[in-house]
């Protein structure tokens, strides 16, 4: 009997959805359900070579964008990347396809309790690959960081930092019309389809944590980088009804 019950739980874990979690949590607008950036903090700056210029706090239209068309696809992936993942009404786009050493971030802070200790986020990335003459820290990139209230990194498993030249597993390649390996204007795109990650925040019960998403163009102004994402929180408790 015990093995049978465990099997049911394992199967359910493989098909998690919002219906098996308690409804109450204190993650208002974490998944952009209001259709805006309420409770999110936006920042922008210019990353020109090694210099950080014009830092500003606030939502910047075009660099922080709410996506609401659930049928739309990203043209810079050959129309293969859906702008909003299945099951959501909205997603955020961080950055755009205009190059210019632009950097931007969006952050959300919550206090961990019994209703929100399972933190889940989904992201998709689109980066223009310069192909040559760019060091790793000059490449278009996308980063995710999860920190406690003292600014300490919560877990290396919760961090994500990728640039256009790494070509790590999980990325696909798109060659736009006019592509040439010798061209600085039309270069290939590397992109990652919607990916899900999660963190257990129970060790930080009663404390504040902050998740930050950051996208950056190349620091030489010629190539873009942007990303889409959503997030949500749930209790670390699953209620299961089963037949004895």
């Amino acid at each position: 009997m015990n093995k049978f019950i465990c099997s049911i739980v394992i199967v359910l874990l493989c098909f998690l959805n919002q219906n098996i979690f308690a409804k109450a949590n204190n993650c208002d607008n974490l998944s952009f359900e209001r259709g805006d950036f309420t409770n999110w903090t936006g920042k922008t700056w210019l990353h020109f070579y090694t210099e950080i210029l014009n830092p500003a706090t606030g939502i910047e239209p075009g660099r922080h964008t709410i996506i609401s068309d659930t049928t739309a696809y990203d043209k810079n992936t050959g129309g293969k990347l859906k702008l909003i993942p299945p099951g959501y009404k909205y997603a955020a786009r961080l950055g755009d396809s205009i190059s210019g050493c632009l950097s931007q971030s969006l952050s959300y802070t919550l206090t961990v309790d019994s209703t929100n200790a399972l933190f889940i986020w989904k992201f998709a990335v689109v980066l223009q690959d310069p192909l040559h003459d760019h060091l790793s820290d000059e490449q278009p990139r996308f980063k995710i960081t999860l920190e406690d209230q003292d600014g300490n990194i919560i877990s290396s498993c919760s961090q994500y930092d990728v640039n256009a030249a790494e070509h790590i597993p999980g990325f696909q390649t798109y060659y736009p019309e006019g592509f040439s390996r010798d061209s600085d204007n039309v270069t290939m795109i590397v992109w990652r389809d919607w990916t899900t990650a999660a963190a257990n925040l129970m060790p930080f019960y009663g404390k504040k944590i902050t998740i930050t998403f950051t996208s950056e163009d190349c620091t030489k102004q010629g190539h873009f980088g942007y990303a889409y994402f959503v997030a949500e929180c749930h209790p670390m408790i699953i209620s299961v009804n089963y037949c004895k």
Side-chain angles (χ1 to χ4, degrees):
M1 180 64 70
N2 289 337
K3 291 183 179 179
F4 177 69
I5 294 172
C6 288
S7 297
I8 294 177
V9 174
I10 290 172
V11 170
L12 286 172
L13 283 171
C14 294
F15 296 95
L16 284 179
N17 59 57
Q18 296 182 13
N19 294 328
I20 62 178
F21 292 101
K23 294 181 179 180
N25 58 48
N26 65 358
C27 304
D28 181 36
N29 205 45
L30 180 59
S31 60
F32 307 107
E33 64 270 15
R34 294 190 181 196
D36 58 27
F37 288 109
T38 298
N39 295 329
W40 286 86
T41 299
K43 293 185 178 181
T44 57
W45 63 96
L46 300 179
H47 190 174
F48 182 66
Y49 286 86
T50 59
E51 295 185 80
I52 303 299
L53 306 172
N54 302 333
T57 299
I59 300 300
E60 180 69 27
R63 296 169 72 178
H64 305 115
T65 306
I66 293 292
I67 305 297
S68 59
D69 186 351
T70 58
T71 66
Y73 288 79
D74 189 291
K75 65 179 182 180
N76 289 316
T77 65
K80 294 182 179 180
L81 172 63
K82 197 169 186 180
L83 302 193
I84 301 175
Y88 294 84
K89 292 183 178 181
Y90 302 99
R93 187 186 69 213
L94 187 59
D96 56 33
S97 58
I98 301 174
S99 56
C101 65
L102 303 178
S103 299
Q104 45 278 315
S105 68
L106 281 165
S107 300
Y108 190 101
T109 299
L110 59 83
T111 300
V112 180
D113 60 28
S114 60
T115 70
N116 61 18
L118 177 57
F119 202 21
I120 301 172
W121 57 95
K122 301 174 185 286
F123 64 93
V125 189
V126 181
L127 304 173
Q128 191 176 31
D129 190 343
L131 293 178
H132 49 74
D133 298 330
H134 286 65
L135 300 175
S136 176
D137 58 0
E138 296 172 339
Q139 297 276 344
R141 69 191 319 110
F142 174 63
K143 298 188 290 186
I144 304 171
T145 57
L146 196 59
E147 300 175 319
D148 65 17
Q149 59 195 28
D150 298 317
N152 300 313
I153 299 298
I154 285 181
S155 168
S156 59
C157 294
S158 301
Q159 312 312 308
Y160 185 77
D161 187 350
V162 64
N163 66 58
E166 288 181 323
H167 297 181
I168 61 175
F171 274 75
Q172 303 180 54
T173 302
Y174 171 65
Y175 298 94
E177 183 178 354
F179 165 80
S180 170
R181 290 191 177 275
D182 298 321
S183 171
D184 289 329
N185 298 318
V186 183
T187 63
M188 70 182 189
I189 305 295
V190 292
W191 63 281
R192 180 166 187 160
D193 209 342
W194 284 99
T195 303
T196 302
N200 174 13
L201 302 180
M202 282 301 291
F204 303 90
Y205 190 95
K207 297 181 180 180
K208 292 183 178 180
I209 65 96
T210 298
I211 191 167
T212 300
F213 301 85
T214 303
S215 70
E216 298 188 87
D217 294 339
C218 84
T219 64
K220 294 183 176 183
Q221 305 185 62
H223 306 91
F224 60 75
Y226 60 93
Y228 304 92
F229 70 91
V230 294
E232 58 187 276
C233 65
H234 299 288
M236 286 293 292
I237 299 173
I238 302 174
S239 299
V240 179
N241 292 322
Y242 63 91
C243 177
K244 293 182 179 181

